[in-house]
Amino acid sequence: MADNILAITIGAILVNNFVLSKFLGICPFLGVSKKLSTALGMSGAVVFVMTLSSLVTSLIYKFVLSKSFTINGTAVNLSFLKILVFIVVIASLVQLVEIVLQKFSPPLYQALGIFLPLITTNCAVLGAAELNVQAGRGVLASTIYGFCSALGFALALVLFSSLREKLDLARVPVPLQGTAIGLITAGILAMVFMGFSGLV
Amino acid sequence: MTIILVSLLFAALLGAILALIIGVAAKAFAVESDPRIETVTDMLPGANCGGCGYAGCADFAKAIVEGVAPPNDCPVASAEATVRVADYMGITSEEKEKVVAVVRCSGGISDTVRSPYNGVEDCRSAVLVAGGAKGCDYGCIGFASCARACPFDAIEIRDGLAVVHPDLCVGCGKCVDVCPKDLIILTPAAVDVHVYCNSPEKGAAKRKVCKTACIGCRKCVKASDSEDQMLIDGFLIATNYNNPPLPDLVEKAACPTTALRLATQHAAGAYEGVSK
């Protein structure tokens, strides 16, 4: 079990990094990486939401969706509804978390701010839930995978935003300024992360 | 069939349960916020143009309620709407002069000497490459960067020339920021007479590349009621917006290149094809 968890951790953070090798969550990766401070806020929100949503969705899958039952002599298995259920559950969960945070922890609510609602329908969050089902992970392993994937996302986002802050000071050829050089940097960063492949 | 029914039932049930949870949570954990913010937001135009400097109408409304911003900072709201907001907040608001944008160029693509340009159809890109398809280095490029920036669809591209419709323009200034040639200025809405040229070149040089350039002949200066209604700057003449001429100056001056125009008639297309 411990070996398995180590493999999940290293695999999710470095080898199969969500952004840089699975290409999930590219939108916030490019959108909120202009400043390190916003990148940190976004990372916090993603870690928070992905861990929680992995836990809840794997619970729902394990105890509701994957069960087969018989109604009127027909075997019914609702696992084909998983994407629909997951996205609705994740969106509601984030809404709920936002409401609760606003009431009980205004500072945290301010810090996560706009990022919480932004990631309700993010593909990385849904992707974590979906990949957990595909890999047949249990509830604990799913939660750890969600947490570590989010850490991997945070790592990529923080690295990338630090690079972009440096890029602001660099002399970039005029046609490449802005998003263009950002995309090139992201590509090189992805190639660097390819160096981890085969580790797990 | 059973599967379809069960799925539908399941989805409906799930939706109902989640809605119930969120509804109860929203009621139970409701955070009190100043109800005036919402009322003021409803009174504002809701264009979310950012012309006031805030991140949208709701943000601006919050600033008004907190007393940080005066209601007349909104360039879009009519004078009555501003007064209504001020009355609601129990403060007085000074009326702000309405401004509209003017693109200081009249050279349509058929009026100016053409040089080929096959690049990205965006003014700021065109400036980087070779300055677009027109002969004049100072004129409107006509690739609609300003029209795309306008939240009110007040700028029309006609014959490769950006034309502001004064009745639609609210003077938010978004177009001013995007124009790479700094052609667009905000002028008092009450002034209708403008010189639609921005080229400081000599008259003959301008005439060579554009049929509707201001050649600095000073006919309008002589026809104006007083000396400083039109300002002379080298070979370029401009309206003095502090002491503006009356609209009949356009007719009296009979500008030989039609660079002197009324904004309303310019927008209505009255000058198309009249250039000599």
Side-chain angles (χ1 to χ4, degrees):
Chain A
M1 187 64 190
D3 277 4
N4 191 14
I5 286 174
L6 187 68
I8 289 177
T9 311
I10 294 187
I13 297 180
L14 295 176
V15 184
N16 294 316
N17 188 288
F18 252 51
V19 183
L20 298 171
S21 76
K22 285 203 201 316
F23 301 110
L24 288 166
I26 295 292
C27 173
F29 182 64
L30 291 172
V32 291
S33 59
K34 288 211 181 77
K35 272 161 62 190
L36 187 58
S37 53
T38 51
L40 285 171
M42 183 72 186
S43 303
V46 169
V47 171
F48 192 69
V49 169
M50 257 170 88
T51 313
L52 212 56
S53 68
S54 294
L55 173 68
V56 173
T57 51
S58 65
L59 277 175
I60 286 178
Y61 190 78
K62 189 174 177 198
F63 292 111
V64 183
L65 292 180
S66 62
K67 291 270 187 285
S68 293
F69 45 94
T70 332
I71 295 172
N72 282 348
T74 323
V76 177
N77 187 328
L78 290 176
S79 60
F80 64 89
L81 279 176
K82 62 178 184 290
I83 289 191
L84 186 132
V85 171
F86 285 175
I87 202 73
V88 173
V89 165
I90 293 170
S92 320
L93 180 73
V94 175
Q95 280 287 312
L96 192 66
V97 166
E98 204 189 350
I99 291 169
V100 173
L101 271 188
Q102 197 175 9
K103 180 75 177 177
F104 291 110
S105 176
L108 187 60
Y109 177 75
Q110 284 284 330
L112 298 181
I114 185 74
F115 304 121
L116 262 188
L118 266 185
I119 49 179
T120 37
T121 51
N122 191 279
C123 58
V125 182
L126 183 64
E130 180 68 21
L131 287 169
N132 279 330
V133 170
Q134 275 174 20
R137 292 192 189 96
V139 175
L140 179 66
S142 293
T143 314
I144 292 173
Y145 180 76
F147 177 67
C148 293
S149 302
L151 277 189
F153 177 88
L155 177 70
L157 192 62
V158 169
L159 280 179
F160 187 53
S161 63
S162 314
L163 285 173
R164 272 187 112 170
E165 281 196 348
K166 288 263 186 284
L167 270 180
D168 280 346
L169 304 172
R171 282 177 60 182
V172 179
V174 174
L176 296 179
Q177 273 169 12
T179 313
I181 194 75
L183 284 167
I184 294 170
T185 315
I188 296 173
L189 200 58
M191 282 198 279
V192 171
F193 267 70
M194 288 293 152
F196 290 116
S197 62
L199 204 61
V200 176
Chain B
M1 193 60 201
T2 319
I3 294 185
I4 297 176
L5 278 177
V6 171
S7 319
L8 279 176
L9 211 67
F10 179 72
L13 201 69
L14 183 77
I17 291 174
L18 291 173
L20 194 72
I21 294 175
I22 291 182
V24 168
K27 271 268 175 282
F29 301 121
V31 176
E32 302 262 325
S33 67
D34 198 329
R36 291 180 300 173
I37 295 176
E38 207 160 304
T39 318
V40 174
T41 310
D42 288 342
M43 285 180 177
L44 290 170
N48 290 318
C49 66
C52 53
Y54 289 90
C57 291
D59 209 27
F60 180 54
K62 196 165 162 241
I64 293 178
V65 171
E66 283 167 0
V68 187
N72 64 0
D73 264 7
C74 178
V76 184
S78 60
E80 301 94 75
T82 309
V83 169
R84 221 175 327 129
V85 173
D87 284 349
Y88 178 73
M89 290 304 300
I91 51 177
T92 50
S93 166
E94 284 163 28
E95 206 173 299
K96 212 176 176 188
E97 194 177 22
K98 186 171 164 14
V99 290
V100 293
V102 168
V103 181
R104 291 175 295 164
C105 178
S106 54
I109 196 80
S110 49
D111 294 326
T112 59
V113 173
R114 188 194 295 260
S115 49
Y117 174 80
N118 299 318
V120 182
E121 297 256 324
D122 179 89
C123 300
R124 284 167 291 181
S125 307
V127 162
L128 293 178
V129 186
K134 289 182 185 168
C136 178
D137 280 341
Y138 302 92
C140 172
I141 296 165
F143 288 151
S145 286
C146 52
R148 279 190 291 273
C150 181
F152 304 96
D153 289 335
I155 302 181
E156 184 190 352
I157 303 296
R158 206 187 282 157
D159 187 28
L161 175 70
V163 178
V164 178
H165 286 269
D167 45 337
L168 295 176
C169 179
V170 301
C172 70
K174 290 227 150 169
C175 52
V176 177
D177 296 336
V178 296
C179 181
K181 296 283 188 186
D182 290 333
L183 269 179
I184 310 178
I185 51 169
L186 295 176
T187 64
V191 183
D192 206 11
V193 183
H194 308 282
V195 177
Y196 283 89
C197 183
N198 186 44
S199 173
E201 301 251 2
K202 287 185 178 171
K206 279 195 257 188
R207 199 77 171 101
K208 218 182 235 172
V209 293
C210 177
K211 289 180 190 163
T212 62
C214 168
I215 51 175
C217 69
R218 307 192 182 189
K219 275 183 94 170
C220 51
V221 181
K222 285 168 200 151
S224 65
D225 299 326
S226 75
E227 270 296 287
D228 62 344
Q229 287 188 337
M230 303 301 289
L231 299 174
I232 306 165
D233 180 18
F235 294 92
L236 186 64
I237 296 169
T239 306
N240 182 358
Y241 292 104
N242 296 320
N243 179 21
L246 294 170
D248 65 345
L249 176 69
V250 174
E251 208 167 303
K252 280 199 285 183
C255 176
T257 62
T258 72
L260 187 74
R261 297 175 177 197
L262 294 179
T264 42
Q265 292 196 14
H266 179 50
Y271 297 97
E272 257 165 67
V274 297
S275 56
K276 292 154 200 163

